[in-house]
Amino acid sequence: QTSSGLVNGEEDNKTYDVVLLSSGDKKISVIRALRSLSDGIGLFEAKNLATDTPSTVVHNLTKYAAEGWKQVLEKEGAMVVIV
């Protein structure tokens, strides 16, 4: 067990979801960001994710990847949490 309380890389196996709480004032920019981050997501689906908040926009990411999604979406004015 390490000083952080984790046992032999336990954190490495954990996955995270990115939840969009609000698109803020720049909904169109958030929709564009969702489409650029997601392979194959359509305009209609991206619009629904940005409009029907809170919504889980991506599942089962590493901590590093989830932080990347959060950073891009927040740059566009969205409120995002990682769970």
Side-chain angles (χ1 to χ4, degrees):
Q1 186 170 354
T2 65
S3 61
S4 65
L6 299 177
V7 179
N8 295 328
E10 182 180 312
E11 184 177 27
D12 295 341
N13 296 328
K14 187 168 181 180
T15 60
Y16 299 86
D17 297 341
V18 177
V19 178
L20 179 65
L21 297 177
S22 169
S23 295
D25 295 334
K26 301 182 194 175
K27 191 178 297 184
I28 292 173
S29 295
V30 172
I31 291 169
R32 285 186 188 133
L34 286 169
R35 292 193 71 203
S36 71
L37 289 167
S38 302
D39 287 337
I41 189 173
L43 179 60
F44 183 74
E45 185 178 358
K47 182 181 176 216
N48 284 343
L49 288 171
T51 304
D52 299 334
T53 54
S55 57
T56 303
V57 294
V58 67
H59 300 276
N60 300 324
L61 292 179
T62 64
K63 180 73 170 175
Y64 180 77
E67 288 290 344
W69 275 70
K70 181 179 181 189
Q71 184 178 16
V72 169
L73 292 169
E74 285 181 339
K75 181 180 172 188
E76 299 303 330
M79 291 179 57
V80 182
V81 294
I82 297 173
V83 293

